[in-house]
Amino acid sequence: MRIVMLADHLVQGGLETHITSIINGLTGRGNEVLLYCASCSPSIISQINSRHFKFLSWSEDAFDEINRFNPDIIHSHPFTAIIKGKEIATLLQKPFVVTMHGLYDFGFDQSPLGNEISNSVKRIIAVDFRVALHLLNNVIQPEKISIIRNGIDLNTFRPRARDEQLMDILGLNRKGFTISLISRFDDDKEKPIIQFLRCIPELAKRVEDLNIIIVGDGGKRKEVQHSFPIEVSNGVKVKLISWQEKIEDIYNISDLVFGSGRVALEALACKVPVYAMWEGFGGLISKKNHDAIMQGSTFRQVDDYELLSIITGLINNPKELNQAAQEGYEAVYRHHDCKEIVIQLIRTYEQYCMDN
């Protein structure tokens, strides 16, 4: 099968990891993939290693090359890529599917553009229940929605021994409890990180030799930087690092990760406990609340005093953390194995390619 996959700007993050994992899975099964993007960092391209893969930047004469590629299906990710994907699918008379990754309805809302694209798309794929519910409540043709979960490369994201050399490089306490907060610094996702940073001076009075790693980038990076505590006591280390190409290395030196979406799934695949963090805080991910957190129904705002109580309570309860890590690990292996997700995606493609 020959697939044209479209995206906007691929730099680094959850969307990028999703796309590279899917492309590697598709090409690994002998499918041909042409990735058509406005821009893509070399580090993203380097993560795809297959003779069945081609990359093409957006340009006026790109359509001829796409036509020569002779795709069987067009698959877009947000945002402008949805519009371009619809145009290509219409010109080539090929089936068109879209994967939606967040709480937005761009391309499918109650507008002339939304009506036009909705009538052209065969399937709107949501990556989790939270996204699916948002789409069901907002898009014009909800009957076209289905869920194909985020797939995690379990060969890359797996439990490993703590890399003490990396901890030394980062200037961390080898024997200290390590918390990593991982997110984009945009769209209010930076706010819980800023709140966490505000609590560190008081937290340092309660916990010695604590390591706190902030990982991410985005338009609110300066706000995050300006929120760093000036003085921290009791040997507490606080580090800010940009998004990491090998983010799995950060997971595997962490005792606890704050994050959501793919970050949560990747950390759990490494058997690291996760406290859900998005525009607020959602709770320690465990068997009993996994679906609720993934649907976003548990996220809420907490005050600084409650956040401090949450953090210290987690640090002082290793049994609860270990149980949550084990339960999360089992859930990811059962529901998010990228190999199985790719098979589901191929079955979706085949359904519409046969019709075409």
Side-chain angles (χ1 to χ4, degrees), residues 78-345:
F79 290 93
T80 305
I82 295 174
I83 299 172
K84 284 188 171 290
K86 182 264 177 187
E87 292 171 350
I88 293 169
T90 300
L91 287 169
L92 296 180
Q93 291 296 292
K94 300 295 182 180
F96 176 46
V97 300
V98 173
T99 293
M100 300 292 273
H101 297 258
L103 304 187
Y104 37 73
D105 56 7
F106 179 86
F108 304 104
D109 59 353
Q110 301 283 344
S111 69
L113 176 64
N115 276 277
E116 185 180 349
I117 294 176
S118 293
N119 288 331
S120 300
V121 75
K122 296 292 187 182
R123 183 78 68 90
I124 306 169
I125 301 167
V127 297
D128 59 35
F129 292 103
R130 180 171 54 95
V131 174
L133 181 61
H134 180 82
L135 293 170
L136 283 168
N137 289 331
N138 290 281
V139 303
I140 297 169
Q141 296 176 300
E143 67 276 9
K144 293 184 176 180
I145 298 167
S146 65
I147 297 174
I148 298 181
R149 290 182 170 97
N150 261 313
I152 304 301
D153 180 354
L154 300 181
N155 292 321
T156 299
F157 299 99
R158 56 187 174 82
R160 287 183 294 164
R162 175 175 290 199
D163 186 344
E164 293 188 343
Q165 184 177 3
L166 176 59
M167 297 193 73
D168 290 342
I169 291 170
L170 293 174
L172 303 174
N173 303 303
R174 280 194 180 190
K175 295 184 178 180
F177 190 95
T178 301
I179 300 175
S180 295
L181 293 86
I182 305 174
S183 182
R184 290 187 188 274
F185 305 153
D186 270 315
D187 302 323
D188 291 336
K189 295 177 183 177
E190 76 285 351
K191 288 185 176 180
I193 294 176
I194 291 172
Q195 182 182 8
F196 193 107
L197 289 168
R198 188 169 63 238
C199 293
I200 287 176
E202 180 61 34
L203 181 62
K205 297 176 184 178
R206 307 182 185 190
V207 184
E208 294 182 353
D209 298 328
L210 181 66
N211 299 313
I212 298 170
I213 309 172
I214 312 297
V215 185
D217 220 329
K220 300 296 179 63
R221 183 180 179 87
K222 287 186 178 180
E223 284 87 337
V224 173
Q225 288 175 314
H226 291 159
S227 300
F228 264 61
I230 297 173
E231 293 185 7
V232 181
S233 60
N234 274 343
V236 173
K237 307 288 187 180
V238 187
K239 302 293 178 180
L240 171 63
I241 58 178
S242 297
W243 196 266
Q244 301 294 293
E245 187 171 327
K246 290 178 65 63
I247 190 66
E248 64 272 17
D249 292 342
I250 300 299
Y251 296 139
N252 280 298
I253 63 171
S254 302
D255 297 294
L256 175 64
V257 167
F258 279 71
S260 65
R262 284 193 69 89
V263 166
L265 296 173
E266 290 167 356
L268 290 171
C270 296
K271 204 179 284 189
V272 179
V274 175
Y275 199 93
M277 178 188 72
W278 184 47
E279 292 179 351
F281 296 93
L284 185 67
I285 299 177
S286 64
K287 186 176 181 179
K288 65 182 179 181
N289 68 6
H290 183 272
D291 287 341
I293 286 178
M294 290 304 172
Q295 291 177 43
S297 60
T298 66
F299 284 96
R300 63 189 179 90
Q301 303 298 315
V302 302
D303 61 32
D304 291 0
Y305 179 80
E306 183 177 357
L307 180 58
L308 281 164
S309 298
I310 289 169
I311 299 166
T312 54
L314 292 168
I315 293 171
N316 293 322
N317 198 338
K319 183 177 180 180
E320 181 183 15
L321 291 180
N322 289 336
Q323 181 177 342
Q326 180 64 38
E327 291 174 357
Y329 172 79
E330 292 171 357
V332 171
Y333 266 69
R334 186 165 58 249
H335 300 302
H336 296 275
D337 184 346
C338 193
K339 293 178 182 177
E340 298 301 319
I341 298 304
V342 167
I343 291 172
Q344 294 173 31
L345 189 57

Side-chain angles (χ1 to χ4, degrees), residues 30-90:
N31 299 284
E32 302 280 341
V33 178
L34 189 157
L35 178 60
Y36 184 44
C37 295
S39 66
C40 186
S41 72
S43 66
I44 301 298
I45 299 297
S46 69
Q47 295 173 41
I48 305 169
N49 184 20
S50 174
R51 61 186 177 84
H52 298 295
F53 170 73
K54 295 180 179 180
F55 172 74
L56 181 64
S57 294
W58 290 358
S59 65
E60 291 182 1
D61 58 354
F63 177 77
D64 291 338
E65 190 164 346
I66 293 172
N67 192 26
R68 286 193 294 272
F69 181 72
N70 190 27
D72 297 298
I73 196 161
I74 311 299
H75 184 172
S76 287
H77 301 267
F79 290 93
T80 305
I82 295 174
I83 299 172
K84 284 188 171 290
K86 182 264 177 187
E87 292 171 350
I88 293 169
T90 300

